Amino acid sequence: MNKARTAAVELGAASFVPLISSFLLAVLMLLPLGSGVANVTMPHLAMIAVFYWITRRPMLMQYGACAAVGLCLDLWLNVPLGLNMLLLILARMFVLSQLKHFKGRNNAVHWVVFVVLSFGLYFVSWLIISAVNGVVWPVRAMFIQWLVTAFSYAPIGFLLGRLRRSIFQ
Amino acid sequence: MAWGVRPLVPIVQSIKGLASNTTGARRSVRGRGGLWFYLVASFFFLILELFGASIPGQVRGVADDVVAPVLNLLERPLRYMQSGMERFAGVSDIYQENQDLRDENDRLKQWREAAMQLSRENEQLRLILKVPKREVPAAATARIIGVGGGPFERSVLANAGSLDGVEDGLPVIDENGLIGRVLHTGRWTSRILLITDINSRVPVRLERTGALAIAEGQNENYLRLRFLPAEADIRVGDRVLASGHGGVFPPDLPLAIVSKIDNEYMFLEPIGGLEKLDYVRIMAYHAVPDTDALLLDDDGGADNE
């Protein structure tokens, strides 16, 4: 029995909390928050959730879960299929390879890592969108969303932390 | 047989070690295999998009249908909260707002009389000249329940779909003017591409001079006016209407106002309330004859003969 399955069996239904909370935050990204620019100023909540759970409970946020959240997000946001899927897989790949350097450090370090990682992911998404559409895509809206996402990590991470502590301890 | 057990211990241990190593290797392969499988899958989807073989809109329509009930559920308390906050913020201005509304109401009464008289005259003249009616019926009235696209696309999700008579390509208006067209439909939902999206092009004319041009979305809150004749007279504040060319949008729908002219760059501010969409009307407009339908009619006609 692999580690992920062992963790899932030990925790029971609670092992689905990271996946469900990531899906829920992905759905929240679709809500019209009273502004036509809401889809730009809305932070990438799914990216925040996936990063949070990979850094805290990597066994409960497998590649398949990242791919599923990304794929649904691609369909719901009407962006090129595979874009968010790739971004979330890359996020997990990066975090797992670097986790030994910042695991156990305080939340500020995690925040800094997220800011750097999300910048890289937005850059990758800009490259992909430009390639798919065959034009140099405007960066302003993307830059604004990255900023909002970077600043939103702290409050969303705090809420996810409360959820994690209430369920896993 | 104690003598026989001792020599077997290292063998058992080595078998256990081998087994654990094998499990570890299998685990590692499974993890990496998973990573590569999902990476290849995402690249496969992206390459499909790159070569224009995008997945059918029906798949996205089904995905929208699946998420629509959740959005419907979450959207209502959000609307109530927003309207409550707006009401709370507006309490201090209520007296002044009331006075302004009374003044506006008096002006509108005068306009209403003039409009009714003009409408009657217009109807009589149309009858005399046998001009066909230009009213476009509504296919459906829908509520905006979701936004989409993130920084890549300007689109919204409405809670009316093919079961309500909505079809791909139909124009969509709000109470002020044109806001976009239906991109694809699910059974209960439809995605609307806004006029501000970078892929949106609307053939337009200036209301004051009649000069023709194209209004292009920029993925911003404004549009850009292009292909306007060099000799055309254009001023800030001019209204821009859909020209009806191309047959996608009905003519004379208000679209935008010229907001800024900077040499060859002309920017438009949308008239439709794109910043705060609530209810929208999807119009049953089919200016361009459906060639498939015509072919079917021809076949039917041949059969009847």
Side-chain angles (χ1 to χ4, degrees):
Chain A
M1 200 179 286
N2 65 25
K3 277 184 188 173
R5 202 171 295 169
T6 311
V9 169
E10 280 171 6
L11 292 165
S15 63
F16 291 102
V17 167
L19 182 62
I20 292 169
S21 61
S22 301
F23 263 114
L24 191 65
L25 287 173
V27 172
L28 284 183
M29 284 175 68
L30 311 177
L31 283 175
L33 292 175
S35 167
V37 292
N39 45 1
V40 174
T41 51
M42 171 64 82
H44 201 310
L45 299 175
M47 190 189 286
I48 294 174
V50 166
F51 176 84
Y52 181 87
W53 288 115
I54 296 169
T55 52
R56 265 62 175 204
R57 291 274 176 164
M59 285 300 135
L60 300 182
M61 201 70 202
Q62 294 286 316
Y63 282 115
C66 296
V69 173
L71 188 65
C72 287
L73 208 51
D74 289 334
L75 288 169
W76 292 336
L77 289 176
N78 202 42
V79 296
L81 203 65
L83 178 70
N84 282 293
M85 191 177 168
L86 180 67
L87 294 187
L88 298 184
I89 290 169
L90 289 177
R92 188 173 198 269
M93 211 168 79
F94 172 84
V95 170
L96 289 193
S97 66
Q98 302 299 318
L99 194 57
K100 58 180 179 285
H101 300 299
F102 63 92
K103 194 176 184 183
R105 305 283 288 273
N106 63 26
N107 290 332
V109 176
H110 283 243
W111 193 0
V112 171
V113 173
F114 176 76
V115 169
V116 175
L117 171 68
S118 58
F119 184 83
L121 293 178
Y122 270 94
F123 180 69
V124 171
S125 67
W126 176 78
L127 286 177
I128 291 170
I129 285 285
S130 298
V132 168
N133 289 283
V135 291
V136 178
W137 205 256
V139 291
R140 190 171 162 271
M142 215 175 285
F143 183 73
I144 291 171
Q145 205 195 31
W146 169 71
L147 273 181
V148 177
T149 303
F151 279 102
S152 304
Y153 179 78
I156 305 295
F158 173 76
L159 292 176
L160 289 172
R162 303 286 295 183
L163 178 71
R164 180 174 62 91
R165 275 188 287 276
S166 67
I167 288 175
F168 296 118
Q169 284 178 8
Chain B
M1 295 269 177
W3 60 268
V5 172
R6 275 209 179 161
L8 284 178
V9 169
I11 299 170
V12 171
Q13 278 176 346
S14 67
I15 290 170
K16 274 185 180 171
L18 188 66
S20 72
N21 283 343
T22 315
T23 314
R26 202 188 307 141
R27 190 182 300 152
S28 149
V29 166
R30 192 181 291 165
R32 285 195 181 169
L35 165 66
W36 286 110
F37 172 76
Y38 295 117
L39 268 183
V40 168
S42 60
F43 276 116
F44 174 73
F45 288 135
L46 283 170
I47 288 167
L48 279 184
E49 296 271 356
L50 188 64
F51 289 105
S54 181
I55 59 152
Q58 289 95 323
V59 178
R60 292 189 189 269
V62 170
D64 289 340
D65 282 347
V66 169
V67 79
V70 186
L71 287 175
N72 265 321
L73 196 75
L74 294 173
E75 176 257 359
R76 283 186 193 183
L78 200 78
R79 294 263 185 205
Y80 287 132
M81 207 165 70
Q82 277 176 349
S83 62
M85 282 167 72
E86 278 168 16
R87 212 171 289 168
F88 181 73
V91 163
S92 58
D93 302 328
I94 208 156
Y95 179 78
Q96 186 58 43
E97 198 179 332
N98 195 25
Q99 192 60 41
D100 291 347
L101 285 172
R102 279 175 198 278
D103 294 345
E104 193 180 345
N105 198 29
D106 290 342
R107 280 198 304 277
L108 285 174
K109 277 180 184 165
Q110 292 166 7
W111 274 106
R112 184 170 173 269
E113 288 305 316
M116 283 175 73
Q117 192 181 340
L118 285 170
S119 175
R120 277 194 297 272
E121 281 180 21
N122 197 20
E123 197 59 36
Q124 283 169 356
L125 288 170
R126 276 180 187 276
L127 279 173
I128 292 165
L129 296 170
K130 297 189 188 307
V131 177
K133 286 190 174 183
R134 293 174 72 175
E135 286 84 22
V136 181
T141 299
R143 190 165 198 178
I144 301 302
I145 55 168
V147 294
F152 311 120
E153 186 184 280
R154 295 290 173 117
S155 68
V156 289
L157 191 67
N159 65 352
S162 56
L163 290 181
D164 304 292
V166 180
E167 296 167 26
D168 292 0
L170 294 185
V172 186
I173 59 170
D174 73 348
E175 65 272 22
N176 299 315
L178 184 67
I179 62 153
R181 65 183 171 85
V182 176
L183 194 59
H184 55 74
T185 54
R187 289 168 74 84
W188 304 285
T189 56
S190 49
R191 187 164 291 279
I192 298 162
L193 189 77
L194 299 178
I195 52 172
T196 45
D197 184 84
I198 203 162
N199 292 310
S200 169
R201 309 274 186 280
V202 185
V204 293
R205 68 178 173 82
L206 294 179
E207 188 180 40
R208 190 171 54 82
T209 63
L212 297 171
I214 300 284
E216 278 187 358
Q218 302 289 306
N219 265 13
E220 297 284 352
N221 294 336
Y222 54 81
L223 297 102
R224 196 178 147 196
L225 197 64
R226 296 193 69 192
F227 307 113
L228 186 74
E231 68 279 5
D233 175 26
I234 181 170
R235 297 175 200 156
V236 171
D238 278 353
R239 266 168 44 112
V240 177
L241 312 176
S243 70
H245 291 95
V248 176
F249 300 103
D252 300 333
L253 276 179
L255 181 97
I257 291 171
V258 178
S259 58
K260 188 180 171 188
I261 303 171
D262 186 7
N263 294 324
E264 76 269 32
Y265 293 102
M266 287 153 282
F267 298 101
L268 309 174
E269 185 187 333
I271 288 177
L274 300 184
E275 291 180 359
K276 201 176 176 185
L277 289 171
D278 194 355
Y279 283 100
V280 294
R281 205 165 89 178
I282 301 166
M283 303 172 85
Y285 180 72
H286 301 278
V288 179
D290 186 348
T291 47
D292 290 343
L294 287 175
L295 287 171
L296 281 173
D297 280 352
D298 288 348
D299 292 346
D303 288 341
N304 289 337
E305 284 166 13

